[in-house]
């Protein structure tokens, strides 16, 4: 389907994107008043259960998504929403150390990433910082640039040694130490941290701090060392497991760097990784898996929507970067888009996934929904054959 010469289809697709995005403003996933105005909850369980915690990572994603969304609407409400998200990050979530706290609960929590327990993740800080860099790009307000650069400086001090070796992905502010690394993909220095390059590269353009480029070099070397010949990135430290969710975070970092520095070699690494996702994990619609070679009902989901939608978003970005890209599994892509639509909830949100019995989980997830909106944005440009929207590649 090509929509570049069909005004009716173009308008219909634009409305689909805006309708999906508008769920964020009207669903309760976003705080609209009070001291936490602008912050995003991680998810909303069944309507009777409500939300659980405010999430700095998701709030950063929201700003970056809006940066891409504004091309479809001049409604000032989107910019206002991004400003409120940025204000929450710098006035509530940012600790005096410069680092961004992760999860704000309404009551005390044992979660190490809760605001009161003050363990922070490098990944979350970079997603929040990247959101602030994008907010500065949108508005020109120096306040957001200052806070973003402060986050970058704090990350370099906390997570890297003086030779720019990565110490670990989780830091205790109170203990002033890196937390002992674990086997789970998010708890050790894995390839997924390459997505932090989006923030460090963006920040380095404004700060001219050479340490940021050195940090990117460290993360890139780490990621490429984790890629196997079949394209997949090892995401579990103790076993040869690959989870598509962090696998795709690595791809997103590769795509950004490939475009930013015009590096065809990194685009080839990304293509190889995308090929693994579609050829191995998503080749059969009734047998899609988000982990390989063994199944993993992560957080109660036998199939996660973010793993599929991130893979699709990466595919469309590559098509926009290289229109000659034509893998032999390309015919299954439209069917996967239909599957993503099936994750839509009656509320308009996007479910985290399906349970082991195949039922849709009533768990409206903020980042899964944001990634879905962005997949549709890049798909729109692919179907219009219009190329990337601008000279920069922004990925929430």
């Amino acid at each position: 389907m090509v929509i570049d010469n069909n005004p009716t289809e173009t308008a219909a697709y634009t409305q689909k994107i805006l309708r999906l995005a508008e769920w964020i403003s009207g669903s309760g996933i976003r705080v609209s008043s009070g001291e936490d105005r602008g912050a995003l909850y991680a998810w909303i369980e069944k309507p009777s259960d409500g939300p659980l915690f405010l999430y700095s990572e998701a709030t950063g994603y929201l700003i970056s998504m809006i940066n891409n969304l504004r091309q479809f609407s001049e409604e000032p409400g989107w910019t206002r929403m991004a400003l409120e998200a940025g204000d929450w990050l710098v006035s509530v979530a940012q600790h005096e150390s410069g680092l961004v706290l992760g999860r704000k609960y309404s009551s005390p929590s044992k979660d190490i990433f809760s605001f009161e327990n003050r363990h922070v993740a490098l990944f979350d800080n970079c997603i929040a910082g990247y959101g602030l860099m994008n907010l500065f790009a949108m508005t020109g307000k120096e306040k957001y640039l200052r806070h973003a650069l402060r986050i970058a400086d704090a990350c370099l001090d906390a997570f890297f040694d003086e030779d720019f070796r990565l110490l670990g992905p989780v830091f205790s502010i109170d203990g002033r130490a890196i937390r002992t690394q674990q086997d789970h993909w998010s708890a050790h220095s894995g390839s997924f941290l390459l997505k932090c390059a989006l923030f460090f590269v963006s920040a380095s353009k404004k700060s001219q701090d050479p340490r940021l480029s050195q940090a990117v070099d460290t993360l890139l070397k780490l990621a490429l060392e984790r890629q196997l010949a079949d394209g997949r990135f090892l995401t579990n430290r103790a076993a040869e497991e690959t989870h598509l969710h962090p696998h795709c975070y690595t791809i997103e970092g590769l795509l950004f760097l490939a475009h930013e520095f015009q590096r065809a070699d990194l685009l080839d690494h990304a293509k190889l990784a995308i090929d693994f996702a579609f050829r191995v994990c998503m080749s059969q619609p009734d047998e899609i898996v988000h982990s390989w070679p063994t199944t993993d009902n992560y957080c109660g989901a036998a199939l996660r929507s973010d793993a599929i939608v991130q893979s699709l978003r990466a595919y469309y970005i590559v098509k926009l970067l290289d229109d000659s890209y034509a893998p032999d599994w390309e015919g299954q892509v439209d069917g996967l888009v239909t599957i993503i639509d099936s994750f839509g909830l009656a509320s308009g949100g996007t479910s985290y996934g399906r349970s082991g019995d195949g039922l849709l989980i009533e768990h409206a997830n903020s980042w899964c929904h944001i990634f879905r909106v962005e997949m549709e944005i890049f798909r729109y440009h692919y179907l219009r054959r219009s190329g990337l929207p601008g000279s920069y590649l922004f990925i929430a």
Side-chain angles (χ1 to χ4, degrees):
M1 178 176 68
V2 179
I3 63 175
D4 58 332
N5 294 316
N6 191 320
T8 300
E9 289 186 355
T10 298
Y13 210 124
T14 298
Q15 286 307 307
K16 178 183 180 181
I17 291 169
L18 292 174
R19 186 169 60 251
L20 283 171
E22 284 164 1
W23 174 80
I24 295 171
S25 61
S27 63
I29 196 78
R30 173 182 170 274
V31 180
S32 58
S33 62
E35 68 173 18
D36 290 318
R37 183 176 63 182
L40 219 61
Y41 286 102
W43 59 73
I44 302 175
E45 294 290 356
K46 291 181 293 187
S48 59
D49 295 335
L52 184 60
F53 58 83
L54 296 172
Y55 202 12
S56 299
E57 178 188 346
T59 304
Y61 284 136
L62 174 62
I63 299 171
S64 297
M65 182 206 77
I66 290 172
N67 194 31
N68 277 327
L69 185 68
R70 292 191 311 152
Q71 64 192 275
F72 296 94
S73 173
E74 296 181 0
E75 166 58 48
W78 295 116
T79 301
R80 184 168 60 250
M81 192 183 299
L83 286 166
E84 290 175 353
D87 288 341
W88 182 80
L89 285 173
V90 303
S91 64
V92 178
Q94 191 170 24
H95 183 264
E96 61 186 20
S97 65
L99 295 166
V100 175
L101 302 172
R103 305 172 182 177
K104 185 179 181 183
Y105 290 81
S106 59
S107 58
S109 169
K110 294 181 180 179
D111 184 346
I112 65 165
F113 294 108
S114 68
F115 274 29
E116 60 267 25
N117 288 327
R118 287 189 286 277
H119 282 70
V120 296
L122 171 61
F123 188 87
D124 295 12
N125 268 263
C126 288
I127 297 301
Y130 183 57
L132 293 174
M133 289 300 304
N134 287 333
L135 186 55
F136 168 69
M138 276 188 260
T139 66
K141 293 182 180 293
E142 295 281 342
K143 161 183 159 181
Y144 303 111
L145 175 61
R146 289 197 307 273
H147 282 276
L149 295 181
R150 190 168 169 231
I151 293 169
D153 190 59
C155 283
L156 292 174
D157 289 342
F159 295 100
F160 295 85
D161 69 13
E162 60 186 12
D163 295 317
F164 299 98
R165 288 187 293 259
L166 181 63
L167 300 172
V170 180
F171 180 76
S172 167
I173 291 177
D174 290 347
R176 294 293 303 167
I178 292 290
R179 186 170 186 260
T180 301
Q181 299 192 50
Q182 308 295 319
D183 292 335
H184 183 267
W185 70 261
S186 65
H188 71 274
S189 296
S191 67
F192 76 101
L193 291 170
L194 187 59
K195 189 163 182 177
C196 296
L198 278 67
F199 173 46
F200 288 149
V201 170
S202 301
S204 69
K205 291 180 179 180
K206 297 299 180 182
S207 73
Q208 305 300 316
D209 186 342
R211 299 181 303 158
L212 292 166
S213 296
Q214 291 174 288
V216 171
D217 290 343
T218 293
L219 297 176
L220 179 58
K221 182 175 184 291
L222 182 153
L224 295 180
E225 288 174 347
R226 300 291 196 279
Q227 191 171 31
L228 302 184
D230 63 0
R232 68 188 180 105
F233 292 97
L234 294 177
T235 59
N236 185 301
R237 193 173 64 160
E240 291 201 353
E241 298 286 335
T242 295
H243 282 74
L244 279 187
H245 179 48
H247 175 82
C248 287
Y249 280 148
T250 315
I251 294 171
E252 290 153 17
L254 285 169
L255 291 174
F256 177 86
L257 292 172
H259 178 260
E260 183 72 21
F261 298 109
Q262 294 298 293
R263 287 190 55 177
D265 61 321
L266 298 186
L267 188 59
D268 287 342
H269 280 284
K271 289 175 180 176
L272 192 61
I274 293 168
D275 179 72
F276 168 80
F278 283 89
R279 177 176 47 81
V280 176
C281 298
M282 299 187 297
S283 61
Q284 301 297 323
D286 56 346
E287 296 179 7
I288 296 173
V289 295
H290 66 234
S291 63
W292 194 89
T294 57
T295 58
D296 180 359
N297 287 9
Y298 185 58
C299 291
L303 180 60
R304 293 176 54 156
S305 61
D306 52 11
I308 302 173
V309 79
Q310 284 178 273
S311 299
L312 286 167
R313 177 172 62 176
Y315 162 77
Y316 288 119
I317 290 173
V318 172
K319 292 292 286 187
L320 292 168
L321 295 178
D322 178 8
D323 59 9
S324 70
Y325 181 58
D328 55 12
W329 42 259
E330 207 162 22
Q332 72 198 50
V333 169
D334 286 347
L336 290 166
V337 173
T338 300
I339 288 172
I340 281 298
D341 285 339
S342 76
F343 283 96
L345 296 167
S347 67
T350 301
S351 169
Y352 179 69
R354 297 189 181 277
S355 59
D357 55 12
L359 297 177
L360 203 62
I361 299 171
E362 287 288 326
H363 169 139
N365 184 283
S366 60
W367 69 85
C368 292
H369 193 79
I370 288 170
F371 294 166
R372 182 183 173 195
V373 172
E374 280 226 330
M375 181 274 286
E376 296 288 4
I377 289 173
F378 287 111
R379 184 170 185 251
Y380 169 90
H381 286 287
Y382 162 70
L383 293 175
R384 292 195 70 208
R385 303 296 192 265
S386 58
L388 282 176
S391 57
Y392 294 101
L393 174 59
F394 298 103
I395 309 175

